[in-house]
Amino acid sequence: MAEKAFEPVGMMGPQIFGMPVDRDTLFSNHQEIYKKRVEKRQRKLIVKLSFLKPFLKKGEKILLATTGYSPINSLPQYVTGFFFVYLKRCLFVFTNFRIFHVPTTPIYKFKQSISQILYDDCQSIALKGGTLSVQYAKTGITEKFKAIALFERRKIKALVKKMPLPGTQSQLGRRSHICPRCTALLESGKYTCNTCQLKFKNKIVTYILAILFPGGGYFYTRHYFIGLLNAVVEIVLLLYIAQSVQNYQNGVQDSTLYLAVFGAAFIIAKIVSVLHSTHFVQEFILNHSRIVSWANN
């Protein structure tokens, strides 16, 4: 026997927490059958998406929310190891117009960074295993998002089959970030919103801080835990390098070898720090700890 869904009435019928949703899709499984466990999972995620309301366009409805990882290039992912989960967790929100990509903290808290993937920009969207692959029509570039939540995978496969993917050579042709204050599109490589002048972390400043100060790039991009670990590693290596230099000057045997080893390790740690920090800047991290309301500016 099919489970019976709660049927809301009045104005709250098509909304959850003030956001427009397609309840028939949101609370059903991949076979479009209502399931209480699906509703429970989706409601837990919808609670974390209250910030999304200003970004939704007229006629846009939320169809599904799920978790996963943001894309990252192979070198930073390799050197990050188990910190990958800590650093790159995110939420995905499928609507009838687009997919929202929302970088989050490890407990899925909004980091005031958000981007969109328009269906009109896509040549194809496919889910293989736990990896969501999005190919953009204009550039042919494919982005891959790892570790999509297991319980939502079959539903995502069914959902994307229904989405119009015209493969048009649109003006964007890529995943684009949105200003978290005024919802305008942000320009890649430019760290100030053209519309409301909201400022974001700057890649050049990140480079300088990451090179000059132990953990500087991480602290600047607000990754304090890994910044502290990086600072400790770099400081310890610097101490060993200083000791090796002193031993070399005193003619201690094998001091040259130790100096080379510790020096190489320090350079690698510094390169990793620079790569990671500048990668995070691409998510448009605010220069402020919170957004000042648009009405007050």
Side-chain angles (χ1 to χ4, degrees), residues 51-57 98 114 116 177-186 193 195-196 198 294:
F51 62 85
L52 196 60
K53 186 177 178 180
F55 296 92
L56 297 171
K57 298 179 180 179
R98 52 188 162 172
I114 185 169
Q116 65 176 8
H177 281 80
I178 309 170
C179 178
R181 181 164 69 180
C182 71
T183 75
L185 288 179
L186 297 172
C193 175
T195 303
C196 70
L198 183 65
W294 177 247

Side-chain angles (χ1 to χ4, degrees), residues 167-237:
T168 55
Q169 303 274 325
S170 71
Q171 197 170 22
L172 291 175
R174 57 178 171 79
R175 179 165 58 95
S176 50
H177 281 80
I178 309 170
C179 178
R181 181 164 69 180
C182 71
T183 75
L185 288 179
L186 297 172
E187 185 179 335
S188 179
K190 186 174 181 180
Y191 305 107
T192 302
C193 175
N194 290 330
T195 303
C196 70
Q197 302 304 306
L198 183 65
K199 296 185 182 299
F200 300 89
K201 301 294 184 181
N202 189 294
K203 183 176 285 191
I204 295 176
V205 176
T206 308
Y207 268 123
I208 294 172
L209 293 177
I211 292 172
L212 294 182
F213 302 102
Y218 290 117
F219 290 122
Y220 179 64
T221 57
R222 298 190 188 138
H223 293 85
Y224 304 115
F225 178 65
I226 194 169
L228 180 60
L229 292 178
N230 177 256
V232 170
V233 169
E234 288 191 16
I235 290 171
V236 169
L237 288 172

Side-chain angles (χ1 to χ4, degrees), residues 138-181:
K138 185 175 181 180
T139 61
I141 293 174
T142 299
E143 272 193 309
K144 294 184 177 182
F145 304 87
K146 303 285 187 178
I148 299 300
L150 177 64
F151 292 116
E152 311 301 344
R153 292 177 187 176
R154 288 196 291 179
K155 186 173 177 180
I156 291 173
K157 288 181 180 179
L159 192 62
V160 296
K161 287 180 180 178
K162 300 178 181 179
M163 292 301 150
L165 302 178
T168 55
Q169 303 274 325
S170 71
Q171 197 170 22
L172 291 175
R174 57 178 171 79
R175 179 165 58 95
S176 50
H177 281 80
I178 309 170
C179 178
R181 181 164 69 180

